[in-house]
Amino acid sequence: MAVKRTPFIAGNWKMNLDHLQSIAFVQKLAWALSDAKHDFADAEVAVFPPFTDLRSVQTLVAADALPIGYGAQDLSKHDSGAYTGEISGAFLKQLDCGYVIIGHSERRTLHAETDADVNAKVVAAHRHGLVPVLCVGETAEDLEQHGASAVPVAQLRAALDGVDVSKGLVVAYEPVWAIGSGQAATPAQAEQVAAALRAVLAEIAGEELASATRVLYGGSVKAANIASFLREPNVDGALVGGASLDIDEFSSIVRFKKHVGA
Ligand SMILES: O=C(CO)COP(=O)(O)O
């Protein structure tokens, strides 16, 4: 199990920052990263802006060869056709997106996405060469009734039904009760669920792919707590919501190495 996984710090902007604001933000982030070359050298950083920002972000990242990845917050399970308001994975690939968030709890609850929808979206992402950032997580009620791991593990199994994990996957464990609440899971809780998710990955895809797949923690991550999560052996990074909109806070999260052992 001594596989080295590149830490991944991902900013989910949700429905914030328009395309002009996205340009300013990514420019500032690039400056902050170049300032901190040593610290962040072995981490990967990506932002997940609204769809309408992606072309601007692409242009900026490509023009200056910025070391910043990006992706969308959702995609359609269909490739094209009469699906008003939907966005095809083909369009995202055209914009050089590397990743796409799938199954975020806000999509599952506010847009009634089922495990079957999430599974179809993972397959669609792979069809277009995008790496899914697959979100799983339990509600406060689930936690009380079934413990922390049961629901995320069931969601992972359902999402990966028939999926070829070798086509790329990042898993994000986001307890619903920790999202936007200011009450993050403890590092030990995150580690426990991340380890359970990795064990399921091993069962589904084999030890080698499981130990190469990054499992992130998300839910009230801030500069002040990022290092404590990243010290855990099975937590390989973070999916950051609110704190990814504040350039100082997000830059500080990305420079997490500074905090390790500090
Ligand atoms: O939902 C999240 C990221 O996808 C987490 O949001 P917060 O970091 O605002 O809790």
Side-chain angles (χ1 to χ4, degrees):
M1 261 286 283
V3 174
K4 194 177 174 321
R5 295 181 291 269
T6 304
F8 189 36
I9 306 294
N12 175 10
W13 294 359
K14 308 191 178 183
M15 196 172 72
N16 295 290
L17 306 184
D18 63 30
H19 76 286
L20 297 174
Q21 293 169 318
S22 79
I23 293 170
F25 188 97
V26 171
Q27 273 168 339
K28 284 186 201 152
L29 181 60
W31 290 329
L33 294 183
S34 64
D35 231 29
K37 265 239 142 37
H38 287 301
D39 285 332
F40 105 107
D42 62 356
E44 184 182 349
V45 181
V47 293
F48 292 79
F51 288 126
T52 49
D53 298 4
L54 287 170
R55 174 65 175 153
S56 303
V57 171
Q58 177 198 25
T59 305
L60 183 59
V61 167
D64 295 337
L66 301 179
I68 297 173
Y70 57 92
Q73 298 171 15
D74 184 32
L75 87 171
S76 174
K77 59 188 170 189
H78 305 289
D79 293 345
S80 66
Y83 302 103
T84 300
E86 295 279 281
I87 300 290
S88 168
F91 306 160
L92 300 178
K93 191 65 187 175
Q94 283 286 331
L95 294 174
D96 287 331
C97 287
Y99 298 96
V100 58
I101 293 173
I102 297 175
H104 192 279
S105 68
E106 287 148 21
R107 302 285 324 166
R108 292 181 192 256
T109 55
L110 303 174
H111 299 269
E113 284 191 10
T114 63
D115 281 340
D117 293 325
V118 171
N119 174 247
K121 289 183 177 197
V122 170
V123 172
H126 280 167
R127 223 170 26 244
H128 297 290
L130 301 161
V131 174
V133 177
L134 170 63
C135 300
V136 297
E138 83 288 357
T139 62
E141 297 76 51
D142 294 332
L143 179 65
E144 211 174 288
Q145 286 175 22
H146 312 290
S149 303
V151 166
V153 157
Q155 288 175 339
L156 182 69
R157 283 189 196 280
L160 295 184
D161 187 27
V163 166
D164 178 356
V165 175
S166 74
K167 290 186 172 166
L169 179 70
V170 174
V171 178
Y173 167 52
E174 297 207 310
V176 179
W177 49 268
I179 295 176
S181 67
Q183 190 206 337
T186 65
Q189 282 172 314
E191 169 61 19
Q192 183 205 329
V193 179
L197 294 171
R198 198 178 303 286
V200 170
L201 283 172
E203 204 187 290
I204 293 173
E207 282 289 342
E208 204 176 316
L209 275 173
S211 61
T213 300
R214 291 173 295 184
V215 180
L216 315 182
Y217 167 75
S220 298
V221 170
K222 311 223 165 344
N225 62 20
I226 182 69
S228 63
F229 288 109
L230 284 160
R231 276 194 207 104
E232 298 295 339
N234 281 290
V235 178
D236 305 311
L239 184 54
V240 186
S244 76
L245 300 170
D246 178 317
I247 186 64
D248 295 331
E249 187 76 10
F250 192 59
S251 306
S252 185
I253 290 171
V254 166
R255 292 192 301 249
F256 68 90
K257 274 196 153 184
K258 265 198 164 156
H259 310 286
V260 172

